[in-house]
Amino acid sequence: MEEQGKLRRTPLYDAHVALGGRMVPFGGWEMPVQYKSILDEARAVRKRAGIFDVSHMGRVAVEGPGSAPFLDSVFSVAVSTLKIGRARYGAICNEDGGIIDDAIVLRRAENRFLLVPNASNTPPVLEWLRKWEPGPQRVTIQDLTDEYAMVAHQGPESFAMVGDLVPVDLAAVRRFAAVETELAGLPVTLSRTGYTGEDGFEAITPREHVETLWNLFVAMGAEPCGLGSRDVLRLEAGLLLHGNDIDTSTNPYEAGMDRFVDPDREGLVPGDALRRIRDEGPSRRLVGFSMVGRGVPRHGQPIVDGAESIGVVTSGGYSPTLDRNIGLGYVPNGYTAPGSRFHVDIRGRMVEAQVTALAFYSRSTA
C-alpha cells in the first residue's frame, strides 16, 4: 500500500477522494472521516445500508499443525473448538491481563486461521504472537494486510442488495460465520460480522479487486460512510474502541468483556493474571450513561461526584438514532448500577448523567 509521509493509504484512497471524502489520519492511515454528513451516514446504515473501507484493519494468517493450540494460548477464548467457517471475538492480553487488542479469529480450515486485529495494533499483535509462537514447523504467522482489502457492508438492506450476486444463500450464513465464495465473479470471503450494531457482512478480497467491489456496492445504492459515522454507530451499539475504551491499562473484566474470557484453560499466557482479576473482582467497571443535562460528553472528560473525581469518559457523542447524548466511562463499583447518577465535567460545567444498561441501541428492540 502507498504511503503519504508516515500515513498509509488503502487501495480505495482514490475512490474516497473522488466521492468527496474528507481524509484524516487514523491509526497510521489516511482514512475518510465523512463524505457529506456524519449523522446522515449513520442514519443510512440504520435504515438502509452503508459501506465502509476497513482495509486499515489487519489480516494475519496463522497456519500449521500447531495453529489451534497456539491461538488458544494467546486468545481470551478457545479457538480450537471453533468449527470451520466460524469466527469468534475475544481479546489478546499481556501477561498482566492488559488488553493488547480485541480481535476476531476466523477458522478457514482445520489448520488455517485468519486473525483480524485493529489497524494500529497490528504491529504489536504480530510482535506478541511471534514472542510465543512454537516455531515454523508447528505455526507460521503471515501478515496479509497489504495483499488483501476489506469492505464492511452494513444495514437492514445489506443482504438483499447483494444476495443475487453470490452463488450461495447468504441468509443461511449465521452470525459470526463466513463463507469463501465469489461476488459478481470476484473472489471474496464474506463474514457475517460488523462494528455497527446492524446486520451485514465484511468482505475480504485481493487488493486488486476491491475498487471494483466498492464501486459495485455504491452503484447498488449503499451509502459510502466514513470513520465518523462508524464511531457513532459502534457507540450506540455499546461496542468498544481500542485506544479509547480499552488498552493495556484495562482488563477484560473491568471492561465488561467477561463472556469473552475463559481463563481456566491450561497454557493460556495471561491465565494467572486473568484468574486473579476474576476472583478478586475489579474495583471499577466500564458503564454506559446518558446525559440528563445538556452537553455532549467527550473522551478524556472527568466523571465527578461532588468535588471528587471518580472516573473518566472514554467515548461519547450525540446519538442520532436515540436523539440523546451518550457515553462510556470507567467508574467505581458503587456507581455502576443502572439509574446511578454522577456528573461529567464538560469544559468546567458539571452536567448530570445517568447510568444506562448497554447496549444503548439494539436492532432487535429498535
Side-chain angles (χ1 to χ4, degrees):
M1 294 183 183
E2 297 179 8
E3 295 191 10
Q4 177 70 17
K6 294 184 179 180
L7 295 177
R8 302 174 73 184
R9 291 176 173 179
T10 79
L12 288 171
Y13 175 86
D14 290 339
H16 299 318
V17 172
L19 287 168
R22 183 160 71 87
M23 310 303 288
V24 300
F26 180 79
W29 296 77
E30 199 169 1
M31 298 294 294
V33 68
Q34 66 187 93
Y35 296 89
K36 297 175 183 176
S37 161
I38 289 175
L39 298 184
D40 286 347
E41 291 169 21
R43 293 185 182 104
V45 174
R46 291 280 181 250
K47 295 178 180 179
R48 301 182 305 279
I51 50 173
F52 303 82
D53 179 10
V54 290
S55 302
H56 62 306
M57 304 285 285
R59 286 162 293 283
V60 178
V62 181
E63 302 181 355
S67 53
F70 165 64
L71 286 170
D72 273 348
S73 73
V74 295
F75 205 56
S76 63
V77 286
V79 172
S80 56
T81 57
L82 267 179
K83 294 182 179 179
I84 295 172
R86 297 288 291 170
R88 187 162 288 168
Y89 171 79
I92 299 169
C93 297
N94 62 26
E95 290 165 296
D96 297 323
I99 302 172
I100 298 172
D101 197 18
D102 61 330
I104 287 178
V105 172
L106 166 65
R107 190 169 206 162
R108 310 185 80 166
E110 183 66 23
N111 295 319
R112 292 177 57 231
F113 296 85
L114 183 70
L115 177 69
V116 182
N118 288 294
S120 60
N121 287 341
T122 301
V125 164
L126 283 167
E127 181 181 357
W128 186 252
L129 294 180
R130 287 168 177 151
K131 177 179 179 178
W132 300 101
E133 68 175 307
Q137 292 77 27
R138 301 289 299 162
V139 175
T140 60
I141 299 169
Q142 185 179 6
D143 184 4
L144 302 178
T145 306
D146 285 352
E147 298 177 30
Y148 290 84
M150 191 169 170
V151 174
H153 198 305
Q154 305 279 292
E157 297 180 8
S158 177
F159 279 81
M161 280 188 175
V162 300
D164 292 337
L165 301 179
V166 295
V168 296
D169 180 10
L170 286 183
V173 180
R174 299 162 54 197
R175 283 282 296 160
F176 276 80
V179 60
E180 297 190 23
T181 183
E182 291 186 346
L183 198 160
L186 303 176
V188 294
T189 298
L190 295 178
S191 62
R192 198 166 181 174
T193 51
Y195 192 52
T196 63
E198 292 299 332
D199 202 359
F201 58 86
E202 293 172 307
I204 298 174
T205 191
R207 59 172 290 129
E208 61 267 23
H209 298 311
V210 70
E211 189 167 358
T212 300
L213 194 69
W214 175 270
N215 291 336
L216 177 63
F217 291 159
V218 172
M220 297 183 71
E223 185 78 17
C225 299
L227 295 173
S229 59
R230 191 168 181 251
D231 193 54
V232 168
L233 294 162
R234 71 90 190 168
L235 177 58
E236 290 181 338
L239 302 176
L240 308 184
L241 175 61
H242 196 282
N244 277 41
D245 309 306
I246 50 176
D247 55 31
T248 53
S249 72
T250 61
N251 64 71
Y253 290 103
E254 62 187 8
M257 299 173 65
D258 308 45
R259 66 188 183 280
F260 304 114
V261 186
D262 176 13
D264 293 323
R265 292 169 291 129
E266 285 193 22
L268 180 63
V269 170
D272 288 343
L274 291 173
R275 285 188 291 271
R276 175 182 53 77
I277 296 167
R278 176 197 62 188
D279 295 344
E280 293 178 357
S283 61
R284 62 173 189 167
R285 292 185 185 273
L286 188 71
V287 299
F289 59 86
S290 297
M291 300 304 294
V292 177
R294 296 185 63 180
V296 181
R298 298 297 185 190
H299 173 76
Q301 292 174 340
I303 297 174
V304 299
D305 181 12
E308 181 184 4
S309 177
I310 61 171
V312 65
V313 176
T314 57
S315 291
Y318 171 69
S319 163
T321 306
L322 306 173
D323 190 25
R324 65 175 185 262
N325 297 316
I326 58 176
L328 299 171
Y330 285 94
V331 294
N333 290 335
Y335 296 86
T336 60
S340 298
R341 296 205 173 197
F342 44 68
H343 289 80
V344 177
D345 183 347
I346 300 179
R347 297 185 296 277
R349 190 166 56 91
M350 302 300 135
V351 183
E352 191 172 19
Q354 178 173 294
V355 173
T356 305
L358 293 175
F360 300 105
Y361 162 86
S362 171
R363 69 178 184 274
S364 62
T365 56

